[in-house]
Amino acid sequence: QKNELFGETLSSGDLAINSVNEAEMETAAAKLTRDAFLTLVSNHPSIVSCENLIPKDNGFLSGEYTSSTERKEIFLSWFRKESIKVMPRPGTLLLDITVEHRDPRSASIIANTILEVALDEARKSRGDESTTMIDELVQDYKELATRLSISRTRLSVYDDAKKLRQEILEGRSDVSLLKGRYKSKHPSMIAATSKVAQLEILLREEIEAIRVSPSEKDYWDSNLSENEGSH
């Protein structure tokens, strides 16, 4: 079944992704520029409702004021002018979709719609099992993205503490340098050591605030319990 969107599809029960090779990605890219596919893109609700779809004179023309045929012809002309490119990424099984448009939001809508229609057509061309596999991979990606976002949020909680710690290290270095020049009662030494002491108090307060913060409380409580048990 060579006419399917992403090349040959294996029989039901096999994983369709195993049949895709790098050469077939060029075929897949070409199919995303063909009449039948662009008709689907032209009729997609995101394209029809796009307010700034077609550059006209000094403004834009909304997609809903053009027919499906007119929109499809416009997409074909954009491919010919390379305002839209669908290219295989060398050495991978990936396609890059690039859209150049005077309105950045419209460019994003067009690229995302091409991707969405391509994925829909790919799912239709494969068996239920491989469709489930694709959905699971998408879900895994979403879960990974969520965990990454949570991790970034948790890391940002420590930004002030990291800054204070760096300032303390720099302050201690200054104290060490001053020791070679002044005695402990010298105003410069007193100011330097006082600054470090104040920073250390601020750091302790910051760590305590982190310890009881909603995102970190469980982590700190469990680690403190482990440390107490090890003594």
Side-chain angles (χ1 to χ4, degrees):
Q1 299 175 353
K2 289 286 186 180
N3 293 326
E4 313 234 70
L5 182 66
F6 287 103
E8 182 180 6
T9 302
L10 298 181
S11 61
S12 178
D14 294 321
L15 298 181
I17 199 169
N18 289 337
S19 70
V20 180
N21 57 44
E22 192 173 344
E24 287 174 327
M25 296 308 289
E26 295 184 9
T27 302
K31 288 180 178 179
L32 300 194
T33 69
R34 292 181 183 171
D35 189 277
F37 181 79
L38 291 180
T39 298
L40 295 173
V41 174
S42 300
N43 290 328
H44 193 278
S46 295
I47 297 299
V48 175
S49 62
C50 184
E51 295 180 359
N52 297 327
L53 178 64
I54 304 159
K56 185 176 178 64
D57 301 328
N58 293 324
F60 291 95
L61 184 63
S62 170
E64 66 179 331
Y65 294 117
T66 57
S67 67
S68 172
T69 301
E70 288 173 325
R71 289 193 297 272
K72 183 183 66 179
E73 289 301 320
I74 289 165
F75 278 117
L76 282 170
S77 70
W78 285 348
F79 273 109
R80 293 189 198 103
K81 296 174 184 176
E82 296 193 334
S83 296
I84 301 178
K85 299 177 186 177
V86 180
M87 302 289 291
R89 188 181 299 179
T92 71
L93 297 180
L94 301 174
L95 294 177
D96 285 325
I97 300 173
T98 306
V99 178
E100 296 179 7
H101 195 283
R102 279 162 44 188
D103 177 44
R105 183 174 177 273
S106 296
S108 176
I109 290 172
I110 294 168
N112 288 337
T113 303
I114 291 173
L115 171 62
E116 186 174 341
V117 175
L119 289 175
D120 285 344
E121 291 303 294
R123 291 188 182 101
K124 292 175 185 176
S125 71
R126 291 170 169 159
D128 291 339
E129 183 174 341
S130 55
T131 298
T132 301
M133 181 195 69
I134 293 171
D135 290 340
E136 288 175 350
L137 289 172
V138 171
Q139 185 59 35
D140 288 346
Y141 168 77
K142 289 180 179 178
E143 290 176 359
L144 179 61
T146 298
R147 291 200 300 271
L148 181 60
S149 176
I150 292 172
S151 296
R152 285 174 173 163
T153 300
R154 289 186 61 185
L155 281 173
S156 67
V157 173
Y158 290 84
D159 286 348
D160 289 343
K162 288 166 61 178
K163 183 179 178 181
L164 284 168
R165 183 175 181 274
Q166 182 60 36
E167 290 179 2
I168 289 171
L169 292 175
E170 292 172 358
R172 288 174 179 171
S173 176
D174 291 341
V175 170
S176 296
L177 291 174
L178 290 171
K179 279 183 178 179
R181 299 168 57 187
Y182 305 114
K183 294 183 179 180
S184 60
K185 300 297 184 180
H186 190 280
S188 296
M189 279 293 295
I190 293 173
T193 54
S194 176
K195 179 182 177 181
V196 171
Q198 290 173 356
L199 289 171
E200 288 174 341
I201 291 171
L202 291 175
L203 179 58
R204 286 196 294 271
E205 291 175 349
E206 183 65 26
I207 292 297
E208 179 58 25
I210 292 171
R211 191 185 71 78
V212 299
S213 66
S215 67
E216 299 301 283
K217 187 176 186 304
D218 291 343
Y219 169 81
W220 280 81
D221 287 350
S222 62
N223 277 273
L224 286 173
S225 298
E226 290 176 6
N227 290 335
E228 289 171 359
S230 65
H231 285 310

